[in-house]
């Protein structure tokens, strides 16, 4: 009886683990949609809003993060941290040279002007914006680096943190907004080597096309010269 009981217990655990594994959502879906999916209705509880402007030290531009907040009837769920009457109106956080959050655009404004200009017209979810202050101090070139999501890679009709992260760069006023990472390669991390004036970054490619990033996939290594007129990405092979 003990042997039968142990076998049943083992079979039950195996089935539970299998069910749990089947529920994992891939980050990339490669198949084309087989049927036309109608656009989702606009959530009437979503409100477009901009945070108060942010001024990066040493620059002549204000940055306005723009995104959505959602107001629920019972006020039990809100996004952000700054609250008025139990409703959050914050979509980003600022820590000297970095903006973080989940917002869809940035508006740029010269400190001597009332005009504002959007970073992009494309649908995105911006997660971090970093001002390269040390490069600015050394070379008088003011650059922003972005980690963001720019496409619905898992085909769930949303552009959000469940899709592939990409690396972008721009001037301090939002001009020359340029994608550095390759399509369908997930950004791992990036850093700056000041003595070379280079930005280095790593991405992972789903070479076995299983929709997930794992040990069987390939890591790519890149760098870009920040002082070049054109930000040309070059791949290198450290291993």
């Amino acid at each position: 009886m003990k042997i039968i009981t142990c076998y049943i217990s083992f079979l039950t655990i195996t089935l539970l683990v299998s069910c749990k594994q089947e529920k994992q959502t891939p980050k990339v879906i490669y198949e084309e949609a087989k049927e036309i999916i109608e656009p989702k209705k606009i959530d009437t509880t979503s409100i477009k809003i901009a945070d108060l402007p942010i001024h990066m030290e040493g620059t002549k531009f204000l940055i306005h993060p723009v995104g959505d907040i959602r107001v629920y009837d019972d006020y039990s769920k809100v996004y952000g941290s700054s609250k008025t009457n139990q409703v959050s109106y914050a979509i980003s956080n600022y820590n000297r040279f970095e903006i973080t959050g989940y917002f869809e655009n940035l508006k740029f404004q010269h400190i001597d002007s009332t005009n504002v200009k959007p970073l992009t017209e494309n649908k995105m979810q911006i997660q971090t914006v970093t001002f390269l202050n040390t490069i600015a101090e050394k070379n008088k070139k003011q650059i922003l680096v972005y980690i963001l999501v720019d496409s619905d890679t898992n085909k769930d009709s949303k552009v959000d943190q469940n899709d592939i992260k990409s690396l972008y760069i721009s001037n301090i006023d939002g001009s020359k907004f340029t994608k550095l990472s390759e399509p369908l390669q997930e950004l791992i991390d990036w850093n700056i080597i000041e003595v070379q004036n280079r930005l280095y970054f790593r991405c992972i490619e789903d070479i076995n096309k299983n929709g997930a990033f794992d040990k069987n996939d390939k890591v790519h290594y890149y760098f870009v010269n920040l002082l070049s007129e054109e930000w040309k990405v070059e791949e290198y092979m450290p291993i």
Side-chain angles (χ1 to χ4, degrees):
M1 286 297 292
K2 287 184 177 180
I3 295 174
I4 295 173
T5 303
C6 290
Y7 176 77
I8 293 173
S9 299
F10 175 78
L11 183 60
T12 303
I13 292 170
T14 303
L15 288 172
L16 288 173
V17 171
S18 300
C19 290
K20 185 173 283 188
Q21 289 176 341
E22 289 176 359
K23 291 181 180 178
Q24 292 180 351
T25 304
K27 205 156 193 177
V28 187
I29 301 295
Y30 294 99
E31 294 182 359
E32 295 291 333
K34 295 181 180 179
E35 57 183 73
I36 298 174
I37 301 174
E38 294 184 2
K40 292 185 177 181
K41 293 181 179 179
I42 296 174
D43 185 355
T44 56
T45 62
S46 268
I47 303 173
K48 191 75 66 184
I49 198 168
D51 276 346
L52 293 175
I54 294 167
H55 179 240
M56 298 289 189
E57 183 181 327
T59 75
K60 293 185 177 181
F61 288 88
L62 303 180
I63 300 175
H64 305 257
V66 176
D68 291 332
I69 63 167
R70 292 184 182 179
V71 181
Y72 295 82
D73 291 339
D74 59 0
Y75 299 104
S76 62
K77 295 180 180 179
V78 292
Y79 293 150
S81 58
S82 297
K83 297 180 180 180
T84 300
N85 295 330
Q86 297 185 333
V87 177
S88 171
Y89 291 93
I91 57 173
S92 67
N93 297 291
Y94 174 55
N95 183 15
R96 196 175 185 190
F97 297 118
E98 186 173 72
I99 308 169
T100 60
Y102 295 108
F103 42 96
E104 64 182 46
N105 211 340
L106 296 175
K107 298 290 183 72
F108 294 87
Q109 176 187 356
H110 193 279
I111 57 174
D112 296 327
S113 173
T114 57
N115 294 327
V116 294
K117 183 185 73 172
L119 174 67
T120 179
E121 299 296 335
N122 298 327
K123 185 174 180 59
M124 294 183 171
Q125 184 192 74
I126 302 172
Q127 298 176 5
T128 68
V129 184
T130 306
F131 175 51
L132 303 183
N133 63 299
T134 55
I135 295 295
E137 292 171 0
K138 179 182 175 182
N139 301 289
K140 308 303 179 185
K141 190 163 186 177
Q142 298 180 336
I143 296 172
L144 296 173
V145 177
Y146 308 78
I147 296 177
L148 57 82
V149 175
D150 62 4
S151 60
D152 176 22
T153 56
N154 65 0
K155 308 299 182 186
D156 66 351
S157 301
K158 295 181 288 185
V159 176
D160 58 21
Q161 61 270 26
N162 296 316
D163 297 306
I164 287 179
K165 290 184 296 186
S166 299
L167 187 67
Y168 278 71
I169 193 172
S170 83
N171 290 320
I172 189 62
D173 62 351
S175 62
K176 285 184 67 178
F177 186 49
T178 304
K179 183 171 183 175
L180 300 182
S181 55
E182 293 290 328
L184 296 182
Q185 289 187 15
E186 169 94 324
L187 175 69
I188 299 173
D189 54 11
W190 65 273
N191 73 349
I192 300 295
I193 303 298
E194 294 179 23
V195 295
Q196 295 179 306
N197 297 307
R198 286 180 177 178
L199 183 155
Y200 285 83
F201 63 100
R202 298 183 294 175
C203 294
I204 187 166
E205 180 185 3
D206 180 25
I207 58 174
N208 57 10
K209 306 298 182 186
N210 67 349
F213 295 106
D214 51 43
K215 64 180 181 179
N216 298 316
D217 293 324
K218 182 178 180 180
V219 175
H220 294 270
Y221 301 82
Y222 303 100
F223 71 85
V224 59
N225 185 346
L226 296 170
L227 303 188
S228 295
E229 189 64 30
E230 292 185 10
W231 290 315
K232 182 181 177 182
V233 176
E234 298 185 47
E235 188 167 7
Y236 70 102
M237 308 295 179
I239 53 176

